[in-house]
Amino acid sequence: MKKIVIVNPGATSTKIAYFEDTDLVWKDEVIYTPDQLKDYAKIYDQFEIRYQDIQVLLENHGISQDLDAVVGRGGLIGPVKAGAIKVDAELIDHLKNHPVLEHASNLGAGLAAAIRDHFGNESCQALIYDPVTVDSMMPIARYTGLKEIQRKSIGHHLNMRAVARRLASDNGLDYDKANLIIVHIGGGATASAHTQGDIVDFVTDDEIMFSAERSGGLPVKEVLKLAKELGVQELSKKVRAEAGLQSLCGTKDLREIEDRVKQGDQEADEVIQAFALQLAKCIATLAVSLKGKVDYIALTGGMAHYDYLCQLIEERVNFIAPLKIYAGEFEAIALAKGGFRVITGIEKASSLEEAMKK
């Protein structure tokens, strides 16, 4: 039996779970108020407080020094291949001092190493798995109409690949041979086209669909007018934090909007229909990237709990392939299964250098 701890740092929390092989034994969470974190200028400045709280939590759960693996959520390293990456001083330094963006997930590798050093057995491995910058996009999918700008692959890779594997398994398919489209709709939204185990195309809520607070694609001429009026900094804030459902409905809480729809609010209903249309357009776009050969489509993330939204999307895309719902997120089990595959020899972990070479 393999003993595995996963650590998943978020903006205001750290999720911890303990698995025996791939069976969840317990999960817990340390939650922080904005006041507790306000004095930390950078994400990595929070390392000590987060680790100390994790140490106490693990000790309270009776974890001793016999872990076989600790798997952290991967941060914004830069483009890497999918799968497991070994945590070492180089990776930690990269995430601490040279991340693509400041994000709580950048703490995952360092926290995994610290847990390994204190709670691991002699052969315990510290890993990250499917970081948010996994990039296996086909070259032609990177192009835009401006030479200076290329499309990038940054998003919910961990959950989407976990759902893709589960979708294939649930329907008698080999993930490495299936053609799948996975759409994550939560606080942010990303969509991915999977073929032969790779994500070959990827759409974010900077592009087609809007999300809870991001604008999605906008008419460039109108954006330029707004940029002149607001300035670049204010425009960036508007399209990335004050747009989407927040702009259209005055709230990013889909449950509140759902209640309005049930009470007969026609405007709220129209927004949900528009949201479904844009998500369906993303799916259709990715179907083209797979040349129309799609085995299944899946919706995941917190918003996939909303049956009406899922129904509206299905009505528009069921001509492409059957739609399945995997509401919520599966990051903990994805990290644990990834770690299990590595320590049992099913999968090999890459060094940072190997992962970045792809």
Side-chain angles (χ1 to χ4, degrees):
M1 179 182 67
K2 301 298 184 182
K3 299 179 179 181
I4 302 169
V5 160
I6 70 94
V7 54
N8 187 347
T12 57
S13 69
T14 307
K15 296 177 181 177
I16 305 290
Y18 171 67
F19 289 78
E20 292 180 349
D21 290 341
T22 57
D23 296 323
L24 176 65
V25 178
W26 57 260
K27 60 182 178 179
D28 212 329
E29 186 172 11
V30 181
I31 299 174
Y32 299 97
T33 66
D35 279 347
Q36 287 176 292
L37 301 178
K38 66 180 174 59
D39 293 330
Y40 297 100
K42 294 183 177 180
I43 288 292
Y44 229 90
D45 295 340
Q46 301 172 15
F47 181 87
E48 286 301 327
I49 184 177
R50 297 232 189 189
Y51 176 64
Q52 288 169 10
D53 290 338
I54 291 169
Q55 186 175 347
V56 170
L57 185 150
L58 291 175
E59 289 171 351
N60 288 343
H61 277 283
I63 298 297
S64 55
Q65 296 171 333
D66 60 352
L67 295 179
D68 296 290
V70 186
V71 191
R73 185 182 179 195
L76 283 94
I77 308 166
V80 292
K81 67 181 183 180
I85 303 174
K86 301 171 189 174
V87 175
D88 57 17
E90 182 185 8
L91 176 60
I92 293 170
D93 177 72
H94 191 88
L95 287 165
K96 180 179 179 180
N97 298 311
H98 312 287
V100 175
L101 290 169
E102 284 284 305
H103 192 272
S105 60
N106 295 337
L107 290 162
L111 291 172
I115 296 168
R116 173 200 62 196
D117 294 345
H118 190 82
F119 293 95
N121 60 34
E122 290 183 359
S123 59
C124 182
Q125 296 191 50
L127 307 161
I128 60 172
Y129 202 88
D130 279 350
V132 294
T133 54
V134 164
D135 188 344
S136 52
M137 285 174 66
M138 55 186 173
I140 59 173
R142 302 180 190 278
Y143 278 78
T144 74
L146 279 180
K147 189 175 180 64
E148 298 89 343
I149 297 176
Q150 280 199 335
R151 300 180 65 244
K152 295 181 180 180
S153 177
I154 299 177
H156 304 92
H157 290 286
L158 178 63
N159 190 52
M160 288 195 295
R161 275 175 43 88
V163 168
R165 286 179 181 275
R166 184 171 167 183
L167 174 64
S169 176
D170 287 350
N171 292 280
L173 300 175
D174 180 346
Y175 172 58
D176 292 328
K177 295 178 181 177
N179 285 351
L180 308 170
I181 295 172
I182 312 296
V183 183
H184 180 109
I185 39 176
T190 51
S192 51
H194 302 236
T195 188
Q196 297 183 351
D198 284 330
I199 294 175
V200 295
D201 201 356
F202 189 81
V203 179
T204 75
D205 50 10
D206 286 330
E207 297 176 295
I208 301 175
M209 73 285 205
F210 58 80
S211 62
E213 56 187 4
R214 293 187 181 171
S215 67
L218 296 169
V220 174
K221 289 181 181 179
E222 302 304 319
V223 172
L224 292 175
K225 290 178 185 177
L226 202 55
K228 287 181 181 179
E229 178 185 332
L230 298 177
V232 173
Q233 187 173 352
E234 281 301 311
L235 178 61
S236 177
K237 179 182 175 183
K238 191 174 190 66
V239 299
R240 294 188 62 80
E242 300 173 352
L245 297 177
Q246 180 66 48
S247 174
L248 297 167
C249 292
T251 178
K252 59 184 178 182
D253 188 338
L254 186 62
R255 292 166 298 185
E256 183 180 333
I257 300 170
E258 180 182 4
D259 287 342
R260 292 185 201 173
V261 172
K262 288 178 179 176
Q263 292 166 14
D265 185 327
Q266 292 299 313
E267 185 176 356
D269 187 58
E270 196 164 277
V271 168
I272 293 302
Q273 291 192 48
F275 188 28
L277 174 61
Q278 291 201 351
L279 289 163
K281 285 181 179 179
C282 282
I283 292 167
T285 296
L286 294 173
V288 171
S289 296
L290 297 175
K291 297 182 179 178
K293 298 175 182 177
V294 183
D295 295 308
Y296 288 95
I297 302 161
L299 302 179
T300 184
M303 290 189 184
H305 286 289
Y306 186 14
D307 292 341
Y308 179 50
L309 175 63
C310 295
Q311 175 194 327
L312 290 172
I313 296 168
E314 183 175 21
E315 288 172 356
R316 294 189 179 277
V317 303
N318 60 11
F319 74 96
I320 298 171
L323 177 72
K324 304 291 184 179
I325 309 300
Y326 291 86
E329 53 88 6
F330 304 88
E331 292 181 341
I333 186 63
L335 292 171
K337 285 185 174 180
F340 181 78
R341 286 192 291 270
V342 171
I343 61 177
T344 55
I346 298 170
E347 183 178 328
K348 184 185 176 203
S350 302
S351 67
L352 176 61
E353 182 180 4
E354 290 169 337
M356 295 185 94
K357 283 181 178 177
K358 301 194 291 299

